[in-house]
Amino acid sequence: MSADAPNASPASPRLVTHTEIGAIDNTTGYRSFTAGSFTFSRDEYFARITWPKGAHTMPVDAFLRALMRDVAWGFFYGTVNFDDVVGTVNHYGEVTLFAGRYNDAYHDAGRDHEERFPSEVLMPLFKGILSDWTNEGFDPFASPMETDAPWGSKNGTNERAITRTRVSAKRMVGLPGDTPLRTDENGFPANRMFPDIDQSKPIIEPEPGFEGEVWAYNLFDYLSRSDVTWNPSVCSVVGESLFCPTTEEFSLPVDHGNDRCEWFITLSDEIDWEIKDKVSAKPRATVLTRAGDVSCMPADIRHKGFAKKRAMLLVWENGSPIIPELIARGEAPTVAVTW
């Protein structure tokens, strides 16, 4: 099966539009997938990616966890590095698929490769890979202790896990007509890591006529009921200011390369952060954040987090679409504050 669309205008980078889904492999039961000149295939243990200048192998669990975030986040802000070699860059309507582009060794040796796709062309292919390669019992959104293993030949599917809808509130979680609160009744029990969370509800007493304007909810209770890890969801919106809380356990499955500053408030427990240069992947810092710590990730880095106990994290995003362009032109800083 293939999908083709018109190329971009001469002023834009040439858009690649060819995708293809291969036949079922007689040995493993999995299909292969093609996006432009990239191919994706898997066996019992590994995902294998090839391109005209090279090939790369990833453990299939790591690949599926990374791909799951790329799909769920809609390619997210900036760069989603599946590891030190393969990933995507979001251009908001278009997306670059790359291998070795942000790795000095590949880049210096001329082995890197990238192609730019319309987002609506690449996204269905990525969803197809997730659907075909995710076996029954494996949940790429879950921590390792909450899911079965992905290994072996083709064995069923887990569509429920990979088609979760990411929370994206219009104003605030729980407001009438907005995304609902999580409760036992609607299928969101408290996670095993949060047995001691206060589940009480705030008392709200709006003046008559302001019932739809004044709202509050117990964020700690809400987060304790998250059934996914490393998946920031939009829970409140004020203009372009987005509060995106999440729970973190094990490791962030991607290295996220920022295209804007990103504020982190650690709400509980602790998270280790590994910070690298966004382009070269050279190490820049390690940071340990504990409950109450506030930090800001600059726009010129990539970061990966590690949490030994499920931690609550508030991610504060400026969702303005013009920020990446301003930073690229040098008209906006890559850091949020200077002294």
Side-chain angles (χ1 to χ4, degrees):
M1 181 174 68
S2 64
D4 294 283
N7 286 335
S9 65
S12 302
R14 179 182 179 276
L15 294 183
V16 180
T17 56
H18 174 73
T19 64
E20 185 174 335
I21 300 177
I24 296 173
D25 183 89
N26 289 333
T27 302
T28 66
Y30 300 109
R31 296 181 184 272
S32 61
F33 296 80
T34 300
S37 57
F38 287 89
T39 63
F40 298 82
S41 61
R42 76 154 287 185
D43 54 34
E44 289 83 354
Y45 285 114
F46 302 108
R48 303 181 187 276
I49 304 99
T50 66
W51 61 96
K53 299 179 182 179
H56 183 56
T57 300
M58 289 182 63
V60 75
D61 64 328
F63 176 84
L64 290 173
R65 293 181 195 280
L67 185 65
M68 182 76 260
R69 270 69 182 182
D70 214 16
V71 166
W73 298 344
F75 302 118
F76 209 45
Y77 298 116
T79 306
V80 176
N81 299 279
F82 289 19
D83 62 2
D84 287 339
V85 179
V86 174
T88 60
V89 181
N90 194 359
H91 307 290
Y92 310 98
E94 299 171 6
V95 59
T96 294
L97 174 61
F98 65 82
R101 173 62 183 86
Y102 299 98
N103 180 301
D104 272 358
Y106 278 82
H107 189 61
D108 293 347
R111 300 292 298 276
D112 60 311
H113 186 74
E114 60 184 280
E115 295 177 8
R116 189 154 164 166
F117 298 80
S119 299
E120 67 270 16
V121 169
L122 192 60
M123 181 60 76
L125 189 83
F126 276 11
K127 288 182 177 179
I129 297 174
L130 267 176
S131 179
D132 190 71
W133 290 8
T134 302
N135 285 328
E136 181 180 0
F138 178 66
D139 183 352
F141 256 140
S143 71
M145 289 193 290
E146 294 177 338
T147 182
D148 294 338
W151 321 119
S153 300
K154 178 68 175 171
N155 177 30
T157 61
N158 194 353
E159 292 297 313
R160 183 203 63 80
I162 65 173
T163 56
R164 289 183 179 95
T165 301
R166 183 176 179 232
V167 173
S168 185
K170 301 179 183 67
R171 293 170 64 202
M172 183 183 287
V173 164
L175 274 171
D178 216 322
T179 188
L181 295 172
R182 297 170 180 149
T183 65
D184 290 335
E185 290 71 28
N186 62 15
F188 291 94
N191 183 268
R192 75 195 197 288
M193 288 284 196
F194 300 121
D196 56 345
I197 293 296
D198 179 1
Q199 297 179 348
S200 61
K201 296 177 174 57
I203 298 172
I204 309 167
E205 298 178 338
E207 291 290 325
F210 293 91
E211 290 84 358
E213 303 298 325
V214 179
W215 180 247
Y217 68 98
N218 183 337
L219 178 62
F220 281 84
D221 177 47
Y222 182 81
L223 282 178
S224 75
R225 298 173 181 274
S226 173
D227 63 341
V228 297
T229 62
W230 303 101
N231 185 40
S233 297
V234 181
C235 289
S236 69
V237 181
V238 179
E240 292 172 334
S241 176
L242 312 178
F243 269 14
C244 307
T246 174
T247 60
E248 324 295 40
E249 185 179 341
F250 189 52
S251 62
L252 176 59
V254 303
D255 278 18
H256 178 215
N258 293 35
D259 65 4
R260 65 196 71 209
C261 295
E262 193 174 30
W263 287 92
F264 289 170
I265 304 173
T266 306
L267 299 179
S268 75
D269 303 288
E270 61 184 40
I271 304 174
D272 287 273
W273 295 101
E274 183 181 82
I275 315 299
K276 302 176 185 176
D277 183 83
K278 182 168 70 173
V279 176
S280 69
K282 292 178 179 176
R284 286 178 54 171
T286 57
V287 180
L288 172 61
T289 60
R290 297 188 173 96
D293 287 346
V294 180
S295 58
C296 184
M297 297 295 174
D300 61 350
I301 60 94
R302 64 176 75 178
H303 60 270
K304 187 178 183 74
F306 306 86
K308 65 181 180 181
K309 182 186 182 298
R310 206 179 195 96
M312 296 181 179
L313 176 70
L314 177 59
V315 182
W316 181 18
E317 304 276 8
N318 185 332
S320 170
I322 68 171
I323 290 177
E325 183 179 350
L326 292 176
I327 290 175
R329 295 202 305 254
E331 297 174 11
T334 60
V335 295
V337 62
T338 56
W339 287 273

